[in-house]
């Protein structure tokens, strides 16, 4: 197995965890999921293998998503999951490598400390924490080293980070604990009430990606779920307008948060924000029609960053490469 020969950057997300290793790039991108045998506590699977068991309710197996709303809900499960991920990525090639971990800007000190503890529990890293919007901004192409400012909307699974940033620092920010997972839940509820169809979170997520706010190319998409009355499998053509209507409250909340943060930025940052536009990052940025809806709600240009799913970890990696002295890239845990 190849060995990690330097620092690591970790985007520890509610839905997915990404790990970048110096000299190798992104070596892991898997669901933040762990499956544990309820009888003896043994780990059955992590990442993609564990996620494949989610919502299938296998006997004696607990499938755990240890992060909720962007923060750690189950510290022990998170530590085990990270240990497994880092083992898959490879063992450290030196005794005290640096680990730069991205956390939501609204995370409390206790939540931040929990993130560091989860990593330190099993691995010998000097852990530093960095606010996700700053990493996302760097990964989205903003030249923060030159003092350039910008505006980021990072739509993850558990949180939406809305922030104005400049010079590797957050200027103004709000962390909205409503993002991709809330969208999935809204679709599940709409399908049950409107169609009598019980969907899994995975099926709802697929409808979100296919139809989004635009309704998709055909105005509908096929989904498989359970008939709410008969409790038997059923295939249904789900209308695009049902999905768009379900998503609107979440999108509107994101739009209001963007407006709130924009209304509070310093005048000296306004030109950078207008010129650079609102940059959408995270998995939620791929929601069809989201950029256009943000433009309508906030009355400012919005674009989807290149490869939005990897903006945060890419930005954190850039910070490790750019700022090699301890304390410059992040906040010591």
């Amino acid at each position: 197995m190849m060995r990690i020969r330097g620092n690591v950057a970790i985007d520890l997300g509610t839905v997915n965890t990404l790990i970048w290793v110096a000299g190798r790039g992104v070596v892991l991108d898997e669901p933040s999921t762990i499956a544990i045998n309820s009888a003896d506590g043994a780990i059955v699977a992590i990442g993609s293998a564990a996620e494949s068991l989610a919502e299938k309710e296998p006997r004696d197996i607990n499938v755990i998503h240890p992060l909720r709303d962007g923060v750690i809900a189950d510290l022990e499960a998170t530590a085990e999951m990270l240990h497994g991920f880092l083992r898959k990525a490879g063992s450290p090639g030196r005794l005290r490598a640096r680990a730069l971990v991205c956390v939501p800007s609204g995370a409390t000190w206790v939540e931040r400390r929990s993130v560091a503890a989860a990593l330190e529990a099993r691995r010998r890293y000097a852990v530093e924490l960095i606010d996700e919007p700053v990493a996302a901004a760097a990964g989205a192409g903003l030249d923060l080293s030159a003092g350039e400012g910008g505006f980021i909307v990072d739509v993850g699974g558990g949180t939406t980070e809305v922030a104005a940033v400049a010079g590797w620092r957050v200027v103004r920010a709000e962390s909205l604990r409503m993002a991709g997972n809330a969208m999935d839940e809204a679709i599940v509820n709409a399908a049950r009430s409107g169609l009598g169809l019980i969907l899994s979170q995975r099926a709802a997520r697929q409808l979100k990606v296919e139809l989004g706010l635009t309704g998709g190319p055909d105005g509908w998409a096929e989904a498989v779920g359970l008939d709410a009355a008969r409790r038997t499998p059923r295939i249904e053509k789900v209308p695009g307008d049902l999905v768009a209507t379900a998503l609107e409250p979440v999108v509107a909340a994101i739009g209001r948060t963007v407006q709130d943060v924009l209304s509070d930025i310093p005048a000296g940052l306004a030109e950078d924000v207008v010129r650079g536009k609102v940059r959408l990052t995270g998995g939620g940025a791929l929601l069809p029609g989201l950029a256009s809806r943000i433009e309508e709600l906030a009355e400012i240009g919005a674009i989807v960053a290149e490869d939005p799913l990897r903006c945060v970890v890419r930005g954190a990696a850039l910070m490790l490469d750019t700022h090699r002295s301890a304390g410059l890239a992040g906040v010591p845990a």
Side-chain angles (χ1 to χ4, degrees), residues 120-288:
E120 293 169 341
R122 292 299 190 92
R123 292 283 178 164
R124 300 179 66 178
Y125 287 106
V127 180
E128 296 175 61
L129 307 177
I130 185 68
D131 287 327
E132 283 181 11
V134 177
L142 293 176
D143 189 0
L144 301 182
S145 294
E148 184 179 1
F151 200 94
I152 292 295
V153 178
D154 182 41
V155 188
T159 60
T160 297
E161 299 289 309
V162 179
V165 301
W168 301 108
R169 293 293 183 269
V170 169
V171 178
R172 301 285 190 275
E174 286 193 31
S175 184
L176 178 67
R177 298 199 173 183
M178 184 181 290
N181 288 349
M183 295 179 188
D184 299 340
E185 291 170 9
I187 294 171
V188 168
N189 293 335
R192 180 157 192 164
S193 61
L195 302 173
L197 184 68
I198 301 174
L199 293 176
S200 67
Q201 293 287 329
R202 183 179 300 178
R205 190 174 301 129
Q206 186 61 36
L207 287 172
K208 177 181 67 179
V209 171
E210 290 185 30
L211 301 176
L213 301 172
T214 64
D218 300 317
W220 59 271
E222 195 172 84
V224 180
L226 292 177
D227 186 284
R230 300 179 180 179
R231 305 291 298 186
T232 54
R234 180 176 127 206
I235 301 174
E236 183 70 52
K237 290 184 177 180
V238 179
D241 58 355
L242 181 143
V243 171
T245 300
L247 293 173
E248 181 57 30
V250 180
V251 173
I254 294 172
R256 286 193 298 271
T257 305
V258 172
Q259 289 175 312
D260 290 345
V261 177
L262 279 172
S263 67
D264 193 39
I265 65 172
L269 189 56
E271 183 180 348
D272 284 358
V273 171
V274 171
R275 185 176 61 245
K277 300 184 178 181
V278 171
R279 303 194 185 196
L280 305 182
T281 64
L286 297 173
L287 178 71

